[in-house]
Amino acid sequence: MTTMAADAGAYEAVFDAALAADERIEPRDWMPDAYRASLVRQMAQHAHSEIIGMQPEANWITRAPSLRRKAILMAKVQDEAGHGLYLYSAAETLGTSRDELLDKLHTGRQKYSSIFNYPTLTWADVGAIGWLVDGAAITNQVPLCRCSYGPYARAMVRICKEESFHQRQGYELLLALSKGTEAQHAMAQDAVDRWWWPSLMMFGPPDDASAHSAQSMAWKIKRHSNDELRQRFVDICVPQAESLGLTLPDPDLRWNEERGHHDFGAIDWNEFHEVLRGNGPCNAQRISQRRRAHEEGAWVREAAAAYAAKHGEEQS
Amino acid sequence: MVLSHRLGEWAGHAPVLEEEVALANIALDLLGQARVLLSLAGDEDELAYLREERAFRNVQLVEQPNGDFAHTIARQLYFSTYQELLYERLARGGGPFAPLAAKAVKEVAYHRDHAEHWTLRLGDGTAESHERMRVALESLWRFTGELFEPVEGCEVEWDTLHTAWLARLTSVLERATLAVPEGPRRGAWAAGAGRQGVHTESFGRMLAEMQHLHRSHPGATW
């Protein structure tokens, strides 16, 4: 799209026409301030989630029960750092910087996905995160590959490929446990029991209580409502749980012939809001570890900057 | 395997995101090399998870705790420089480790490059980073003698390997405005001890963490 139009109204008309024609908005195109702000908010939150999301899984790297599983987990945590890097770069095309966004994360002015405020208590949690949490993330993120903002959409294409791989690995980990010894099976079931409801909460508040949804859909940042995506996720998970030989912790879960979907029980929105408010099991721990890594690394970043200034090296 | 484990402890704690990626990447390469080596000797998981401390043959250098970023880089510099030179020789030698060494040498060349770049940045960065790097190099120095103790089954000229290692190290440290540490590194405990199954105190604790889950479920597959 062109930015040669004469006044604000004309710019807006060009922007609206591009959206209507399903064209991509690119960094140098004119865009409404609110569109820009909304994208920065969403992309930053997404990047932060990748970075904070490394913690619950990295918690098990040193205790992984086989060398093969350890290699898979290390590769996954490395991918997450890489996803964080793509997403911060994509957000930077909107005129912000990684430092600024990290500062907002560290001071609690920007959020990350509430799911990462739950603890990983057993090895099976690594599998449950892969299957359920990455599964929910993919359901959310695949439509973002068609999001109206070009750099975000392109980042998501790459990220979704790697995430689907992680999700299959998580499923395979749980399957090995489920078909293993009695103790391993029990470990897998316990993990699914603890991660199921928090995973459903990853789709955000119900449609009638979602503050940003309508506008995001009008801007074609979002393509489906929270409740639609949540339903799609439940429908995908039920047969997968069956083939895993595990149950989902919801007595109200059943197939509804009329709707052609699974009905499921009520989500505890009170818990969801408590976690968002900072009162989840690991909120304080996650942020303080992130802040500590940043603060303890300050002298390293200063050294790199000083060296670059002396030697004209590209700063890394 | 032991160094890979130590690097894995950095996940989620690195000073910049790029280093989260780099350290995990190096850890993965090393784990891959270890798995090939262990599989040549037997079952990789049995060897990793069911041996006790006294049966491990790793050099003491790689089991040293991460410390600050400078300690991790100093350990990495000493070891990857050594690994690259050793693997070059093993690859040329045509012995049983030649195929593994030929593949691994490309990976460790990257590890050595990474360690050298950070040695330069820290050594020639700020006063604080220079001092931290100096302290790290000094404190790990006494574990470097062991690297050049002959290993049974490895046909390598250890003296020329040592000379080449020292020359490479000296040139990097000079560029980093640092000096090669002085002091003993062939003392009674530091020389050859790890290869004989005698380790430092933190190693047992590392193994306790690493092996706990595997040992809690005897005979299980994962």
Side-chain angles (χ1 to χ4, degrees):
Chain A
M1 86 182 252
T2 170
T3 54
M4 297 298 287
D7 58 62
Y11 282 136
E12 191 138 16
V14 174
F15 175 82
D16 289 342
L19 283 191
D22 254 342
E23 282 171 25
R24 291 279 160 82
I25 310 299
E26 295 298 335
R28 295 166 68 101
D29 293 336
W30 183 90
M31 62 188 86
D33 289 344
Y35 175 84
R36 185 184 298 274
S38 179
L39 274 169
V40 169
R41 182 185 56 78
Q42 186 175 337
M43 290 163 77
Q45 180 169 333
H46 195 162
H48 299 333
S49 301
E50 297 281 357
I51 301 312
I52 297 286
M54 293 168 70
Q55 290 183 28
E57 293 180 286
N59 182 37
W60 280 92
I61 285 180
T62 55
R63 291 175 290 167
S66 74
L67 295 184
R68 174 172 164 264
R69 292 291 178 196
K70 186 171 180 165
I72 291 172
L73 184 55
M74 273 183 180
K76 182 179 180 190
V77 173
Q78 182 189 8
D79 281 348
E80 279 158 7
H83 296 171
L85 282 171
Y86 305 155
L87 287 164
Y88 284 123
S89 303
E92 284 180 338
T93 64
L94 291 164
T96 179
S97 72
R98 195 208 300 183
D99 286 346
E100 192 181 334
L101 297 178
L102 280 175
D103 189 56
K104 286 185 175 156
L105 170 66
H106 297 153
T107 52
R109 284 175 293 155
Q110 282 178 345
K111 292 189 179 114
Y112 55 89
S113 177
S114 60
I115 193 83
F116 300 119
N117 292 312
Y118 290 86
T120 46
L121 302 178
T122 72
W123 170 250
D125 290 32
V126 172
I129 289 184
W131 176 44
L132 294 174
V133 175
D134 294 339
I138 293 164
T139 308
N140 257 330
Q141 291 171 8
V142 164
L144 285 173
C145 297
R146 294 184 295 122
C147 146
S148 60
Y149 187 58
Y152 194 21
R154 288 188 289 273
M156 290 321 303
V157 171
R158 247 178 112 171
I159 290 172
C160 282
K161 273 186 203 152
E162 293 179 351
E163 294 288 7
S164 331
F165 188 59
H166 298 159
Q167 201 246 353
R168 280 201 298 278
Q169 287 172 329
Y171 179 88
E172 195 255 327
L173 191 164
L174 280 182
L175 189 64
L177 293 179
S178 178
K179 292 188 181 311
T181 65
E182 212 173 300
Q184 286 177 307
H185 182 90
M187 192 193 278
Q189 183 62 58
D190 167 63
V192 169
D193 290 348
R194 281 181 289 109
W195 288 92
W196 172 249
W197 291 108
S199 300
L200 292 190
M201 295 176 196
M202 284 175 72
F203 296 92
D207 292 348
D208 51 19
S210 175
H212 303 290
S213 274
Q215 184 60 71
S216 285
M217 286 176 78
W219 277 329
K220 296 190 176 174
I221 297 173
K222 249 179 114 142
R223 299 274 177 165
H224 309 278
S225 80
N226 294 353
D227 287 334
E228 266 171 59
L229 291 169
R230 190 169 9 245
Q231 180 70 60
R232 184 179 298 178
F233 178 68
V234 172
D235 290 341
I236 291 170
C237 285
V238 170
Q240 289 182 346
E242 266 167 38
S243 51
L244 277 171
L246 298 170
T247 58
L248 296 169
D250 180 358
D252 297 327
L253 186 66
R254 64 180 57 87
W255 177 251
N256 181 326
E257 191 65 51
E258 244 169 75
R259 293 201 306 125
H261 290 293
H262 291 87
D263 290 337
F264 54 98
I267 289 172
D268 182 351
W269 292 113
N270 185 43
E271 173 179 324
F272 175 75
H273 290 296
E274 279 303 307
V275 176
L276 278 193
R277 232 175 264 135
N279 300 326
C282 298
N283 299 56
Q285 174 190 330
R286 299 287 185 242
I287 279 295
S288 82
Q289 179 179 326
R290 181 84 261 301
R291 241 189 251 149
R292 194 166 59 243
H294 191 76
E295 282 161 14
E296 287 176 0
W299 69 272
V300 177
R301 295 189 301 275
E302 283 158 19
Y307 182 85
K310 277 185 222 176
H311 297 271
E313 185 198 58
E314 273 292 298
Q315 207 184 317
S316 69
Chain B
M1 183 187 78
V2 173
L3 184 56
S4 166
H5 184 97
R6 285 298 190 205
L7 292 173
E9 293 173 356
W10 270 104
H13 298 273
V16 283
L17 280 180
E18 284 81 355
E19 283 308 296
E20 295 283 5
V21 178
L23 295 173
N25 195 7
I26 295 170
L28 261 176
D29 286 345
L30 292 171
L31 184 56
Q33 293 165 18
R35 293 180 66 193
V36 176
L37 266 174
L38 291 172
S39 301
L40 287 174
D43 178 85
E44 61 175 30
D45 285 336
E46 208 174 301
L47 288 166
Y49 291 97
L50 299 176
R51 273 185 299 164
E52 298 198 357
E53 193 179 336
R54 292 283 278 113
F56 275 82
R57 292 288 178 266
N58 58 281
V59 290
Q60 291 181 353
L61 176 66
V62 296
E63 75 203 30
Q64 295 311 305
N66 288 334
D68 66 5
F69 190 68
H71 276 78
T72 291
I73 292 300
R75 187 182 63 198
Q76 214 53 38
L77 178 72
Y78 288 152
F79 194 70
S80 59
T81 306
Y82 160 79
Q83 254 188 324
E84 187 183 12
L85 294 166
L86 177 65
Y87 287 172
E88 278 171 5
R89 283 164 172 72
L90 289 175
R92 277 202 306 269
F97 301 117
L100 164 67
K103 179 178 179 286
V105 75
K106 293 174 202 145
E107 294 171 349
V108 296
Y110 159 76
H111 305 170
R112 194 257 309 138
D113 192 56
H114 172 263
E116 285 186 358
H117 275 103
W118 273 111
T119 302
L120 294 176
R121 289 191 198 106
L122 298 182
D124 196 14
T126 63
E128 181 185 5
S129 70
H130 178 90
E131 179 58 14
R132 283 180 185 253
M133 194 63 207
R134 189 192 64 74
V135 169
L137 288 162
E138 298 263 353
S139 73
L140 293 170
W141 183 245
R142 67 195 198 85
F143 298 106
T144 58
E146 190 186 352
L147 300 175
F148 305 99
E149 293 292 318
V151 178
E152 213 181 308
C154 262
E155 300 289 326
V156 174
E157 285 181 29
W158 295 97
D159 285 343
T160 60
L161 179 68
H162 178 239
T163 312
W165 179 82
L166 201 57
R168 177 90 213 177
L169 194 66
T170 306
S171 105
V172 175
L173 293 184
E174 264 172 19
R175 280 193 291 145
T177 72
L178 292 157
V180 176
E182 289 170 9
R185 53 197 185 105
R186 285 177 187 274
W189 284 100
R195 296 275 185 232
Q196 293 151 20
V198 177
H199 294 278
T200 51
E201 284 184 346
S202 68
F203 184 55
R205 210 167 290 115
M206 190 201 105
L207 285 187
E209 182 174 348
M210 186 180 111
Q211 297 180 336
H212 166 260
L213 179 59
H214 186 98
R215 284 179 181 270
S216 304
H217 296 262
T221 48
W222 300 94

